[in-house]
Amino acid sequence: MKKLSMKILTFLLVVSAVSTLSVNVLAQDIVTPQRYEFCTVCHGASFQGNSSIDAPNLSILSSTYIKQQLTNYKQSIRGTLPDDIIGREMQPMTLELSAEEINAIAEFVGDLPDKLAKATVEGGDVVRGRRLYAGCSACHGLKGEGNEAMKAPRLAGQNDWYLFRQLQSYKQRLRGDTPGDMPGAQMLSASQMLADDRAILDVVFYINTLAN
Amino acid sequence: MQRRQYLKTWLREERLQAGIKDMSDQLSRRQLLELVGKAGGSAAVYQVALALGMMPGRAAAERVSVAKAPAGAGKNILLLGAGLANLCIAYELEKAGYQCTFVESSERIGGRSLTLRAGDTVDEIGQPRKVMFDNESHLYFNAGPARIPAHHHLLHGYCRELGVELEWFVNDNRYALTQDDASLDGKPVMIREYMADARGFMSELLAKAINKNIFSEEFSKEDSERLFEFVRRYGDLDEKGFYKGTARAGYASGGMIEPGVKKGPLDFSELLKNNFWKSGMHFPDGESQSAPLMQAVGGNDHVFKAFLPHLKSTFILNAPVISITNTPAGVDVVYSHEGKHKKISADYCFNSIPLPLMTGVDNNFSGKYREGIAKARRGKLTKIAFQTSERFWEKEDIYGGISWTNQPVQQIWYPSHGVYKQKGVMLASYTWSRTNSEAFGRMSPEQRLEDAKQQVSKVHADFPKYVENGVSVVWHRMNHHLGCTTSWSAEDKEKYFKTMQMPDGRHYMVGDQISYHSGWQEGAFSSAHFALAHFNERVHKA
């Protein structure tokens, strides 16, 4: 068995040298360091998010916010409540990351070029959404650009299905209800001003217009 | 027009030859395909079957011989993902003179065909672990495909052709156990006893009904008598139709130099409380689960490894795909490799990246194709294996097969190989329950082993004392995969499957995910040959 594997390996190494297809290096591209490539398996090749895995767009987020959230996950402040199924998928990803690694990932992802998500929700009331968003803009900015001082992440260009689910999660106390998560607690209170899924839809529908 | 006239004339002649004299006779679809096959070969059969909407419903794909590549350009093939489907495609295309390049995101070839042995890495996302089994040839388990049914023709074809040695795989073992906390105070019961008693009780009920002439309208007197005898033998009832236990359950004692003493029947109400009747009892009747099954000697990864010495392909490993672009003349793929993004252009591309991960890869596919990709859902399956200091199951007359429990581990697999050796690797769990698998997924790798150990001890009380080390493979947590088996809702499958089977431009989605047999090697080969048939046809029509 061992012998066979070695043979195959040698064989592969030899043929690898004579690629039949021309390969062009794209020198301008920003490349994810190999040790963080596992993040892209869920969050998309360019950190643009992946609806099939319920993983949000990270490319638009700041390094401060990403660092805070990774730290929250690692310290079991986020992604531990029994019904937070998706958060609990993310949480174990952070357990074996050191503080330095969290910093490095946050720096790298924070510097990525923004990839704006495409709108997927339909049928929202943009006028009502704008009115409701007035309550959000104090922290998240008039254009949904986010505010570092308020620890409020950027919303414009985020996946609408993610915003929708997070607003639901805050309302259902699946997020922001853990000691140590002050900005989360604020957001939990703020989410109560959205009466129901209809209101969430409208506000998310409006946020979709901010990216353009 | 001319072609149609020709086809009509040809069909008439073929019908006559086939003994179908009356032209008003309706040709069955199958007859039609047989006739088309005679004239046009397998590729033509695919085209016609496709037109008739028969392809997805077929039991098996035909093996395609790809015609020799035409002279000139158009020979460069790019294969995304180095699993069984693409290895098979490369094997067939190279024989026809095409040049193949693999781009594979992980560090290994084989995809989900994964056999774990001493020193291997379980590349769980964010928390990789080493396999600590002793380094002996029988101490392994198939974390991926493990069973080879008799009717998986493409797979058998390749095993035969490539010299993969097979051995029997025990799937159905009547000496294995069934355990349910709700039944018999949680005490495990030998499957042969459960099944013999269950059949005995059911037959007795039916015998009573026959004796009361309940079926007098359905059956004549003679038929009723035959039915009574049928039922009597089915359940091993006495002459009057009562069930009083059977040797089929195994003897309580004796049977060799003393007369055999039958076990008393178990309480039927207790049998009903054991959920074994819901799935495990009928499991070996399943379409791909019936005896005899087979496995590759030394590990099922020998199936994919058998392709490798025959391939001249270039393998670019550790190379996740960033984007896929259909161009008028081919397909451009950007991938990340050795710290750089690289663009490669091919004439055709076969892509086996799991559909849920494809959602995160930029592309310019058409609307419905993209929708179909986004609608695919990942399966969640878990296998947990332990190396044990002794093959304690053999002392309990268990050689291979599966015990079933209502614990989240669901199934306990005993190895079909390595009989009489000192140690063994057994599966403490194979669960395909989404809930159970998600629960295991949320635990740390160490906690999973601890939980599995405790659960198995409900079936084998001394289990923990035999455990030496273990490893868990939670497929929806595995790097580069994030799932095992891909599926759509019934509605989405109806809506998108045919679209996904067809190429978008010169890009083909392949793999077991593009079959009705996801999670099986034959599904991967079927998808490969379906795509090859289409490819063959388009290249040679052009």
Side-chain angles (χ1 to χ4, degrees), chain A residues 21, chain B residues 78-82 86 101-106 314-322 333-337 344 350 352-353:
Chain A
L21 287 182
Chain B
L78 186 56
L79 302 141
L80 307 181
N86 271 342
T101 301
F102 282 83
V103 172
E104 160 62 44
S105 70
S106 78
T314 304
F315 284 83
I316 304 167
L317 304 180
N318 292 308
V321 171
I322 305 296
V333 168
V334 176
Y335 61 92
S336 182
H337 190 234
I344 194 165
F350 295 87
S352 67
I353 296 173

Short mmCIF file of all heavy atoms in Angstrom, two decimals, chain A residues 21, chain B residues 78-82 86 101-106 314-322 333-337 344 350 352-353:
data_model
loop_
_atom_site.label_atom_id
_atom_site.label_comp_id
_atom_site.label_asym_id
_atom_site.label_seq_id
_atom_site.Cartn_x
_atom_site.Cartn_y
_atom_site.Cartn_z
N LEU A 21 -2.06 23.14 -19.81
CA LEU A 21 -2.80 24.39 -20.00
C LEU A 21 -1.94 25.57 -19.61
O LEU A 21 -1.17 25.49 -18.66
CB LEU A 21 -4.05 24.38 -19.12
CG LEU A 21 -5.18 23.45 -19.58
CD1 LEU A 21 -6.36 23.58 -18.64
CD2 LEU A 21 -5.59 23.80 -20.99
N LEU B 78 -10.56 21.00 -18.22
CA LEU B 78 -10.28 21.39 -16.84
C LEU B 78 -11.27 20.69 -15.92
O LEU B 78 -12.48 20.70 -16.18
CB LEU B 78 -10.43 22.91 -16.72
CG LEU B 78 -10.04 23.55 -15.41
CD1 LEU B 78 -8.61 23.21 -15.03
CD2 LEU B 78 -10.20 25.06 -15.51
N LEU B 79 -10.74 20.05 -14.88
CA LEU B 79 -11.59 19.31 -13.95
C LEU B 79 -11.49 19.95 -12.58
O LEU B 79 -10.40 20.02 -12.01
CB LEU B 79 -11.14 17.85 -13.91
CG LEU B 79 -11.20 17.19 -15.30
CD1 LEU B 79 -10.01 16.27 -15.51
CD2 LEU B 79 -12.50 16.46 -15.51
N LEU B 80 -12.60 20.45 -12.08
CA LEU B 80 -12.60 21.10 -10.76
C LEU B 80 -13.05 20.08 -9.73
O LEU B 80 -14.18 19.61 -9.76
CB LEU B 80 -13.51 22.32 -10.76
CG LEU B 80 -13.25 23.34 -11.88
CD1 LEU B 80 -14.21 24.51 -11.77
CD2 LEU B 80 -11.80 23.82 -11.85
N GLY B 81 -12.14 19.72 -8.84
CA GLY B 81 -12.45 18.70 -7.83
C GLY B 81 -11.93 17.35 -8.30
O GLY B 81 -12.25 16.91 -9.40
N ALA B 82 -11.10 16.71 -7.46
CA ALA B 82 -10.48 15.44 -7.85
C ALA B 82 -11.14 14.28 -7.13
O ALA B 82 -10.49 13.49 -6.46
CB ALA B 82 -8.98 15.49 -7.58
N ASN B 86 -14.75 13.10 -11.49
CA ASN B 86 -13.78 13.71 -12.40
C ASN B 86 -12.61 12.77 -12.72
O ASN B 86 -12.05 12.84 -13.82
CB ASN B 86 -13.27 15.04 -11.83
CG ASN B 86 -14.17 16.19 -12.25
OD1 ASN B 86 -14.93 16.07 -13.22
ND2 ASN B 86 -14.09 17.30 -11.54
N THR B 101 -6.50 18.68 -16.81
CA THR B 101 -5.87 19.32 -15.67
C THR B 101 -6.87 19.39 -14.53
O THR B 101 -8.02 19.82 -14.74
CB THR B 101 -5.42 20.75 -16.04
OG1 THR B 101 -4.52 20.66 -17.14
CG2 THR B 101 -4.72 21.43 -14.88
N PHE B 102 -6.45 18.93 -13.36
CA PHE B 102 -7.31 18.99 -12.18
C PHE B 102 -6.95 20.21 -11.34
O PHE B 102 -5.77 20.49 -11.11
CB PHE B 102 -7.09 17.76 -11.29
CG PHE B 102 -7.76 16.50 -11.79
CD1 PHE B 102 -7.15 15.70 -12.75
CD2 PHE B 102 -8.98 16.12 -11.28
CE1 PHE B 102 -7.76 14.54 -13.19
CE2 PHE B 102 -9.61 14.95 -11.71
CZ PHE B 102 -8.99 14.16 -12.68
N VAL B 103 -7.97 20.91 -10.86
CA VAL B 103 -7.77 21.93 -9.83
C VAL B 103 -8.58 21.47 -8.62
O VAL B 103 -9.79 21.30 -8.70
CB VAL B 103 -8.24 23.32 -10.32
CG1 VAL B 103 -8.22 24.34 -9.18
CG2 VAL B 103 -7.35 23.81 -11.46
N GLU B 104 -7.88 21.22 -7.53
CA GLU B 104 -8.51 20.63 -6.35
C GLU B 104 -8.21 21.51 -5.14
O GLU B 104 -7.07 21.87 -4.90
CB GLU B 104 -7.96 19.21 -6.17
CG GLU B 104 -8.10 18.59 -4.79
CD GLU B 104 -9.55 18.41 -4.33
OE1 GLU B 104 -10.38 17.94 -5.14
OE2 GLU B 104 -9.83 18.74 -3.16
N SER B 105 -9.25 21.84 -4.38
CA SER B 105 -9.05 22.80 -3.28
C SER B 105 -8.30 22.19 -2.10
O SER B 105 -7.59 22.89 -1.39
CB SER B 105 -10.38 23.37 -2.82
OG SER B 105 -11.13 22.37 -2.17
N SER B 106 -8.45 20.89 -1.88
CA SER B 106 -7.81 20.29 -0.70
C SER B 106 -6.41 19.79 -1.05
O SER B 106 -5.95 19.92 -2.18
CB SER B 106 -8.66 19.15 -0.15
OG SER B 106 -8.47 17.99 -0.94
N THR B 314 -2.46 16.60 -15.07
CA THR B 314 -1.80 17.43 -14.09
C THR B 314 -2.76 17.64 -12.92
O THR B 314 -3.94 17.91 -13.15
CB THR B 314 -1.49 18.81 -14.70
OG1 THR B 314 -0.72 18.58 -15.88
CG2 THR B 314 -0.72 19.69 -13.74
N PHE B 315 -2.25 17.48 -11.71
CA PHE B 315 -3.08 17.75 -10.53
C PHE B 315 -2.55 18.99 -9.83
O PHE B 315 -1.40 19.01 -9.38
CB PHE B 315 -3.02 16.57 -9.55
CG PHE B 315 -3.84 15.39 -9.99
CD1 PHE B 315 -3.34 14.46 -10.90
CD2 PHE B 315 -5.13 15.20 -9.49
CE1 PHE B 315 -4.09 13.38 -11.31
CE2 PHE B 315 -5.89 14.10 -9.89
CZ PHE B 315 -5.37 13.19 -10.81
N ILE B 316 -3.38 20.02 -9.73
CA ILE B 316 -3.00 21.21 -8.96
C ILE B 316 -3.79 21.13 -7.66
O ILE B 316 -5.02 21.32 -7.66
CB ILE B 316 -3.32 22.51 -9.73
CG1 ILE B 316 -2.62 22.48 -11.09
CG2 ILE B 316 -2.88 23.73 -8.93
CD1 ILE B 316 -3.10 23.56 -12.05
N LEU B 317 -3.10 20.78 -6.57
CA LEU B 317 -3.77 20.61 -5.28
C LEU B 317 -3.67 21.90 -4.46
O LEU B 317 -2.95 22.83 -4.83
CB LEU B 317 -3.14 19.44 -4.52
CG LEU B 317 -3.14 18.09 -5.25
CD1 LEU B 317 -2.50 17.01 -4.39
CD2 LEU B 317 -4.55 17.66 -5.66
N ASN B 318 -4.38 21.95 -3.34
CA ASN B 318 -4.40 23.15 -2.49
C ASN B 318 -4.76 24.38 -3.31
O ASN B 318 -4.14 25.44 -3.17
CB ASN B 318 -3.03 23.37 -1.83
CG ASN B 318 -2.72 22.29 -0.82
OD1 ASN B 318 -3.53 22.02 0.07
ND2 ASN B 318 -1.58 21.63 -0.97
N ALA B 319 -5.75 24.25 -4.15
CA ALA B 319 -6.05 25.33 -5.09
C ALA B 319 -7.56 25.60 -5.14
O ALA B 319 -8.25 25.14 -6.04
CB ALA B 319 -5.53 24.96 -6.48
N PRO B 320 -8.06 26.36 -4.15
CA PRO B 320 -9.50 26.67 -4.18
C PRO B 320 -9.87 27.56 -5.37
O PRO B 320 -9.10 28.44 -5.75
CB PRO B 320 -9.76 27.38 -2.85
CG PRO B 320 -8.43 27.72 -2.30
CD PRO B 320 -7.40 26.86 -2.95
N VAL B 321 -11.03 27.30 -5.92
CA VAL B 321 -11.50 28.06 -7.09
C VAL B 321 -12.10 29.38 -6.62
O VAL B 321 -12.87 29.43 -5.67
CB VAL B 321 -12.54 27.23 -7.88
CG1 VAL B 321 -13.21 28.08 -8.96
CG2 VAL B 321 -11.86 26.01 -8.49
N ILE B 322 -11.74 30.45 -7.31
CA ILE B 322 -12.22 31.79 -6.97
C ILE B 322 -13.38 32.19 -7.88
O ILE B 322 -14.37 32.75 -7.45
CB ILE B 322 -11.09 32.84 -7.09
CG1 ILE B 322 -9.87 32.43 -6.24
CG2 ILE B 322 -11.57 34.23 -6.73
CD1 ILE B 322 -10.12 32.37 -4.75
N VAL B 333 -11.09 29.80 -15.51
CA VAL B 333 -11.21 29.57 -14.08
C VAL B 333 -10.06 30.28 -13.37
O VAL B 333 -8.90 30.14 -13.76
CB VAL B 333 -11.21 28.07 -13.76
CG1 VAL B 333 -11.04 27.82 -12.26
CG2 VAL B 333 -12.50 27.42 -14.26
N VAL B 334 -10.40 31.05 -12.33
CA VAL B 334 -9.37 31.64 -11.48
C VAL B 334 -9.32 30.82 -10.20
O VAL B 334 -10.35 30.52 -9.62
CB VAL B 334 -9.67 33.12 -11.17
CG1 VAL B 334 -8.63 33.69 -10.20
CG2 VAL B 334 -9.70 33.93 -12.47
N TYR B 335 -8.12 30.44 -9.80
CA TYR B 335 -7.97 29.69 -8.54
C TYR B 335 -6.81 30.29 -7.76
O TYR B 335 -5.98 31.03 -8.30
CB TYR B 335 -7.75 28.20 -8.81
CG TYR B 335 -6.51 27.88 -9.62
CD1 TYR B 335 -5.30 27.59 -8.99
CD2 TYR B 335 -6.55 27.88 -11.01
CE1 TYR B 335 -4.16 27.31 -9.73
CE2 TYR B 335 -5.41 27.60 -11.76
CZ TYR B 335 -4.22 27.32 -11.12
OH TYR B 335 -3.10 27.05 -11.85
N SER B 336 -6.78 29.94 -6.50
CA SER B 336 -5.75 30.47 -5.62
C SER B 336 -4.74 29.36 -5.38
O SER B 336 -5.11 28.24 -5.02
CB SER B 336 -6.39 30.90 -4.30
OG SER B 336 -5.43 31.46 -3.45
N HIS B 337 -3.46 29.64 -5.59
CA HIS B 337 -2.46 28.60 -5.44
C HIS B 337 -1.12 29.21 -5.09
O HIS B 337 -0.68 30.15 -5.77
CB HIS B 337 -2.36 27.79 -6.75
CG HIS B 337 -1.53 26.56 -6.62
ND1 HIS B 337 -0.48 26.27 -7.45
CD2 HIS B 337 -1.60 25.53 -5.74
CE1 HIS B 337 0.06 25.11 -7.08
NE2 HIS B 337 -0.59 24.64 -6.05
N ILE B 344 -6.70 30.07 -15.58
CA ILE B 344 -6.45 28.97 -16.50
C ILE B 344 -7.63 28.93 -17.47
O ILE B 344 -8.77 29.15 -17.07
CB ILE B 344 -6.27 27.66 -15.69
CG1 ILE B 344 -5.68 26.53 -16.51
CG2 ILE B 344 -7.55 27.20 -15.05
CD1 ILE B 344 -5.18 25.38 -15.62
N PHE B 350 -15.33 20.39 -16.32
CA PHE B 350 -16.22 19.52 -15.55
C PHE B 350 -16.01 19.86 -14.08
O PHE B 350 -14.88 19.79 -13.58
CB PHE B 350 -15.91 18.04 -15.82
CG PHE B 350 -16.19 17.63 -17.24
CD1 PHE B 350 -15.23 17.78 -18.24
CD2 PHE B 350 -17.44 17.13 -17.59
CE1 PHE B 350 -15.49 17.42 -19.55
CE2 PHE B 350 -17.72 16.76 -18.90
CZ PHE B 350 -16.74 16.91 -19.89
N SER B 352 -17.02 19.43 -10.07
CA SER B 352 -17.67 18.62 -9.04
C SER B 352 -17.67 19.30 -7.68
O SER B 352 -17.91 18.66 -6.66
CB SER B 352 -16.95 17.26 -8.93
OG SER B 352 -15.64 17.44 -8.43
N ILE B 353 -17.41 20.61 -7.65
CA ILE B 353 -17.45 21.34 -6.38
C ILE B 353 -18.85 21.18 -5.78
O ILE B 353 -19.84 21.32 -6.50
CB ILE B 353 -17.13 22.84 -6.60
CG1 ILE B 353 -15.69 22.99 -7.10
CG2 ILE B 353 -17.34 23.64 -5.32
CD1 ILE B 353 -15.31 24.42 -7.51
#
